[in-house]
Amino acid sequence: MADPRGFLKVRQRETQPRRPVPVRIMDWKEVYEAQEKGVLKSQAGRCMDCGVPFCHQGCPLGNLIPEWNDLVWRDKGEEAMERLHATNNFPEFTGRLCPAPCEASCVLGINQPAVTIKQVEVSIVDQAFENGWVNPLPPARLTGKTVAVVGSGPAGLAVAQQLTRVGHTVAVYERDDKIGGLLRYGIPDFKMEKEQVDRRLEQMKAEGTRFRTGVAVGTDVTWEQLRRRYDAVVVATGATVPRDLPIPGRELEGVHFAMDYLVPANRVVAGETVENQINAAGKHVVILGGGDTGADCLGTAHRHQAASVTTLAIGKQPPAERASHQPWPTFPTLFEVASAHEEGGERTYLASTVEFVGENGKLTGVKVAETEFVDGKRLPKAGTERIIPADLVFLSLGFTGPERAGITEQVSAEFDGRGNVARDGYYMTNTEGIFVAGDAGRGQSLIVWAIAEGRACAAAVDKFLMGSTILPAPVAPTDRAMAVL
């Protein structure tokens, strides 16, 4: 294990320092600074190497956390990278974007601040890239089997890399002009600069994965054509249909879905020219929804130098510490201050949006009321209405499922009651040879679940093609556990 008395000697949890707010809101670079090596080592040394490491249970990937904590503490960075990559294809993504359910399950967290698992993870992989330890792992031989992966987010990329490495010829189809899905155009650079995506794609290209950009499956090429051309097809398109708010004034100019704001902003940061870009400069902005996407809008509005930003959430403010009904080692709902919240803006809870107010077809404000609970329903409380001035409103209310894009008509794939592509215990749809992984089958979820499902789906596809597989299958898509592959 790491330092046997580390958790006794170092009781303070010390995370990565963030760049000063006045400095970082003037650019789009990542907000975090690298942590001093000695501090990182002492933080990794707090890991107890528990007899039953519940951090494994908390992580859908089953990351070998005590092992690479020990290796970091012993200054064995290359070995730590190997243990990290054994279960996670893209730790540079999860180390920046995952909410770290592993830390919520850390045994040390019972009576001390949890080990900084996420921080150690990202430090391992960043050091690995800096030292040239991350190399392509091409297959020793090709199987002659072909697979099409539709969607290049974390689930699609994980599927593609796993299947390429066992010898299948894999082509990834992406409708955008560049690979990466929401990693590319949905996540602002202040959370993850796109160099992280590009350098991993270089590894995948060197391994043999093929990428087809600017192809909208369902229109440019049909699902049926892919099915005939390839031995297997994987649907990894994500859950990209936004949840709307059909209240009076929804049609006013100035009310937008969050992604209609974030995607063009990311394109501009990447050096592209975007016509009619939504820009918050000098405007009063209201964000509906208190999740990660809302925080991304908040940080983006700060960098656009908005006049004011208000975030409204219909529910109660979460507690700062675990509630009794969310005991360790479950993943609790807590009040968190993301980097964007540190930068300014007002956060209001128990706020029900009643109406979008405007003049001459343009938004001028948002009418809100206090939320009250009646028979288990959240309703606006009469007599508490007020108007918040607003030039822009961004709807960050989550996503309802994947875009259907002809998949039902073209290959008869069914959808479940939640609007996701239906699948069996082996990630296959009702159409033989067509599989689904990530948010397209699971619904809106975490990046760590997308990668875990991508790895497991790859194992199912490999077994379908070859009769057996050596690929790990960390998670099953249903409560019914996957059989031994």
Side-chain angles (χ1 to χ4, degrees):
M1 64 180 291
D3 187 351
R5 297 183 62 81
F7 67 96
L8 296 174
K9 293 187 295 184
V10 183
R11 290 179 174 269
Q12 183 177 358
R13 172 184 166 96
E14 195 168 339
T15 57
Q16 287 173 283
R18 295 170 177 171
R19 294 192 293 136
V21 169
V23 175
R24 71 189 194 220
I25 63 172
M26 301 304 293
D27 61 42
W28 296 88
K29 296 179 180 179
E30 291 184 15
V31 302
Y32 288 100
E33 297 176 340
Q35 191 168 55
E36 193 273 320
K37 185 176 180 180
V39 174
L40 181 71
K41 182 176 177 178
S42 66
Q43 288 296 306
R46 296 179 69 233
C47 179
M48 301 168 66
D49 193 16
C50 313
V52 179
F54 279 81
C55 53
H56 288 192
Q57 172 269 335
C59 177
L61 285 162
N63 281 334
L64 306 172
I65 295 163
E67 295 185 27
W68 39 259
N69 274 330
D70 172 61
L71 291 166
V72 168
W73 185 73
R74 298 177 187 278
D75 287 326
K76 296 184 177 182
E78 192 167 4
E79 291 182 39
M81 177 210 68
E82 292 173 354
R83 300 312 292 150
L84 182 55
H85 275 138
T87 56
N88 187 353
N89 297 70
F90 314 121
E92 66 274 24
F93 302 161
T94 53
R96 288 172 167 82
L97 305 175
C98 180
C102 54
E103 294 185 7
S105 298
C106 175
V107 173
L108 186 59
I110 295 175
N111 60 3
Q112 285 191 38
V115 175
T116 57
I117 298 170
K118 178 178 173 180
Q119 174 185 307
V120 175
E121 175 184 11
V122 75
S123 298
I124 291 171
V125 70
D126 284 351
Q127 181 189 27
F129 274 111
E130 290 167 5
N131 287 282
W133 298 337
V134 181
N135 297 305
L137 299 174
R141 63 179 181 84
L142 295 178
T143 64
K145 300 293 185 180
T146 59
V147 181
V149 178
V150 183
S152 66
L157 293 179
V159 171
Q161 186 167 63
Q162 292 292 93
L163 291 175
T164 296
R165 287 178 172 178
V166 293
H168 303 308
T169 300
V170 181
V172 178
Y173 287 81
E174 171 57 56
R175 66 182 176 183
D176 281 330
D177 57 332
K178 292 182 181 179
I179 295 295
L182 289 181
L183 295 171
R184 172 75 62 183
Y185 290 128
I187 302 297
D189 281 46
F190 59 80
K191 288 179 67 174
M192 187 181 74
E193 295 180 39
K194 300 310 173 274
E195 174 195 6
Q196 311 300 333
V197 180
D198 292 334
R199 64 187 183 182
R200 185 61 74 173
L201 291 178
E202 288 304 312
Q203 180 200 37
M204 294 182 65
K205 290 175 183 176
E207 291 171 347
T209 301
R210 304 174 182 183
F211 295 100
R212 307 281 187 264
T213 56
V215 181
V217 176
T219 53
D220 296 338
V221 61
T222 68
W223 292 97
E224 179 59 31
Q225 287 173 322
L226 289 186
R227 184 188 179 197
R228 293 198 304 265
R229 188 180 305 172
Y230 293 89
D231 297 307
V233 176
V234 178
V235 182
T237 53
T240 57
V241 178
R243 181 173 284 106
D244 206 346
L245 185 62
I247 60 174
R250 174 63 181 87
E251 75 288 348
L252 290 171
E253 180 183 340
V255 182
H256 306 276
F257 289 119
M259 299 312 298
D260 292 338
Y261 176 55
L262 293 175
V263 171
N266 283 329
R267 288 185 176 275
V268 170
V269 172
E272 300 180 28
T273 299
V274 177
E275 295 184 3
N276 302 317
Q277 180 197 2
I278 304 168
N279 196 309
K283 297 182 179 180
H284 297 286
V285 177
V286 173
I287 301 167
L288 303 186
D292 287 341
T293 304
D296 293 345
C297 290
L298 177 62
T300 301
H302 288 149
R303 284 156 182 78
H304 283 167
Q305 299 183 7
S308 68
V309 189
T310 303
T311 300
L312 303 179
I314 193 172
K316 299 178 181 178
Q317 178 176 320
E321 298 181 354
R322 283 185 183 272
S324 59
H325 66 281
Q326 294 178 326
W328 177 91
T330 60
F331 187 50
T333 300
L334 299 176
F335 179 73
E336 296 182 358
V337 179
S339 64
H341 298 129
E342 289 180 338
E343 296 163 1
E346 180 181 343
R347 303 171 77 177
T348 302
Y349 289 87
L350 289 176
S352 294
T353 304
V354 178
E355 181 183 356
F356 300 122
V357 180
E359 294 179 0
N360 301 320
K362 293 186 177 181
L363 179 76
T364 60
V366 180
K367 181 183 287 188
V368 300
E370 294 180 12
T371 303
E372 65 177 350
F373 295 83
V374 179
D375 297 328
K377 297 181 179 180
R378 296 179 296 192
L379 300 173
K381 185 177 180 181
T384 63
E385 296 85 357
R386 63 188 176 97
I387 295 178
I388 300 174
D391 304 302
L392 289 172
V393 166
F394 299 128
L395 304 180
S396 176
L397 305 173
F399 301 87
T400 60
E403 298 174 33
R404 307 212 170 194
I407 189 171
T408 300
E409 299 84 357
Q410 295 170 11
V411 289
S412 302
E414 297 177 352
F415 285 73
D416 62 24
R418 297 171 58 236
N420 305 315
V421 182
R423 57 195 182 171
D424 64 14
Y426 301 90
Y427 293 87
M428 190 185 292
T429 69
N430 59 296
T431 302
E432 185 177 19
I434 298 184
F435 297 78
V436 59
D439 289 3
R442 182 182 185 83
Q444 181 187 1
S445 189
L446 306 178
I447 184 173
V448 67
W449 272 109
I451 298 173
E453 286 213 358
R455 290 170 62 87
C457 180
V461 172
D462 189 36
K463 185 184 178 189
F464 169 77
L465 296 175
M466 306 301 293
S468 63
T469 185
I470 60 171
L471 291 173
V475 293
T478 64
D479 293 336
R480 177 165 59 89
M482 292 184 75
V484 176
L485 296 169

